[in-house]
Amino acid sequence: MQAWHVSGSGEPSDVMRLMEVERPAPGAGQVLLKVRAANVNFPDALLCRGQYQVRPPLPFTPGLEFCGETVDGRRVIATPVLPHGAFAEYAIADAADVLPAPDALDDAEAAALHVGYQTGWFALHRRARLQAGETLLVHAAAGGVGSAAVQLGKAAGARVIGVAGGARKAAAARELGCDVVIDRLTEDVIATVQEATRGRGPDVIYDPVGGEAYVQSTKVVAFEGRIVVVGFAGGSVPRPALNHALVKNYSILGLYTGRYRTENPKLVQHCHEQLTEMSARGAIRPMVSERVPLEGAADAVQRVADGLTIGRAVVLTGRTS
């Protein structure tokens, strides 16, 4: 079969190589799945750079979520067991982690529903307890993770402020349904948020960026607001000033979605049921802006790493629905 291999640390376009390899053999409690579509995530680039919290043995295949097919022809979504990631014709997954693909979504959309939307659901509903009528600010609102949070926020009845970088991404954030869109390249984020909230600030802030975005969040968050930290795509891990959180009465909440698979797998199942129901009634639908063949995976990962994509880039590795 064909699979992308990474044999050393570096930029995805430099270290990813498409190889002809043997199919991986599943171990106890695992299943071999034919990959139909694999979503590209920013952590795929971190894996290539050797900067992710998980460091699989070399060589490994990146690709952290996919829509696949079982031996009896069922469509499923899963996270692969590294080092046998999803940028390949076949991948291995833990049987307990395999979930039915929502019927309302095609293969590419189903592949993009898993990690990003679970992250958004856990962040907004489990950690921040977002309520209808509250104001949600989403950094990188046109990105893969941010776009999911925008849709989930709207589905929850929140007023959503989206921050995006550049006119193209700002337009995508409006298309997603943001009530207010801020182009951080041409507008003052802090002043615009204060104006949009009449000085009160957002109740919940969803931050997959870190760095300057986090600093902006601390300056605008509402009294008793919640900042949910889900990643550091900006490349800088902030050092929170806890005295500032004390004085302003806001909460800093961390989220690593993968932890729930071991700590509370029943909640993961509940989350998937909620996402499936929302997709069935059209409340959420992954914004898949690019569908590339398996041969284009390395370029797609590099473009996601460089912040050049909108919504989701998905690698089509097999037959699609």
Side-chain angles (χ1 to χ4, degrees):
M1 72 167 192
Q2 285 190 309
W4 284 91
H5 269 195
V6 174
S7 299
S9 298
E11 288 301 298
S13 59
D14 295 330
V15 299
M16 288 179 64
R17 296 286 182 270
L18 188 59
M19 311 282 288
E20 194 69 34
V21 299
E22 295 293 324
R23 289 184 189 178
Q30 297 178 338
V31 291
L32 178 68
L33 298 171
K34 181 178 180 180
V35 179
R36 297 166 69 107
N39 185 48
V40 180
N41 288 282
F42 184 74
D44 289 313
L46 296 181
L47 278 169
C48 292
R49 294 168 177 166
Q51 297 174 346
Y52 195 50
Q53 57 257 41
V54 176
R55 297 195 178 188
L58 300 172
F60 67 87
T61 297
L64 295 175
E65 61 180 335
F66 67 102
C67 175
E69 183 179 325
T70 63
V71 292
D72 57 357
R74 290 178 294 114
R75 266 195 343 138
V76 297
I77 60 175
T79 52
V81 177
L82 297 177
H84 304 295
F87 297 147
E89 292 181 301
Y90 287 86
I92 288 175
D94 287 328
D97 290 339
V98 175
L99 300 167
D103 292 334
L105 305 179
D106 66 21
D107 290 345
E109 293 166 338
L113 181 79
H114 203 11
V115 174
Y117 281 83
Q118 283 191 1
T119 298
W121 188 90
F122 276 102
L124 300 182
H125 293 289
R126 183 71 176 183
R127 303 294 284 134
R129 308 289 182 178
L130 179 69
Q131 302 296 310
E134 290 191 313
T135 297
L136 166 68
L137 184 148
V138 179
H139 289 287
V145 173
S147 61
V150 169
Q151 291 185 351
L152 289 167
K154 292 298 294 182
R159 179 179 185 235
V160 179
I161 300 173
V163 179
R168 179 167 159 262
K169 293 186 177 182
R174 291 189 189 93
E175 182 182 340
L176 283 163
C178 288
D179 299 283
V180 177
V181 176
I182 303 170
D183 183 349
R184 62 177 175 80
L185 300 185
T186 60
E187 299 178 79
D188 184 321
V189 173
I190 295 172
T192 309
V193 171
Q194 295 286 24
E195 180 181 358
T197 61
R198 298 182 179 180
R200 183 179 184 281
D203 301 286
V204 176
I205 300 179
Y206 186 82
D207 182 14
V209 179
E212 180 60 25
Y214 176 82
V215 175
Q216 293 168 345
S217 298
T218 63
K219 293 181 179 179
V220 300
V221 65
F223 173 74
E224 292 192 334
R226 295 86 80 196
I227 301 173
V228 190
V229 179
V230 301
F232 311 105
S236 174
V237 179
R239 296 179 179 272
L242 297 184
N243 60 323
H244 189 259
L246 182 152
V247 171
K248 289 194 67 175
N249 284 51
Y250 63 84
S251 301
I252 305 165
L253 306 171
L255 175 69
Y256 172 47
T257 310
R259 188 76 182 268
Y260 285 95
R261 294 192 186 97
T262 55
E263 299 290 340
N264 196 339
K266 289 185 178 180
L267 192 57
V268 175
Q269 180 65 42
H270 173 69
C271 169
H272 181 65
E273 291 169 357
Q274 293 290 304
L275 296 176
T276 299
E277 186 276 329
M278 282 188 273
S279 67
R281 59 183 168 89
I284 60 172
R285 193 175 199 95
M287 177 186 278
V288 178
S289 59
E290 301 182 36
R291 300 168 188 247
V292 302
L294 182 58
E295 294 78 11
D299 180 60
V301 176
Q302 188 64 59
R303 283 185 285 109
V304 169
D306 294 339
L308 301 178
T309 56
I310 288 176
R312 288 298 190 180
V314 177
V315 177
L316 304 180
T317 57
R319 185 181 79 251
T320 58
S321 58

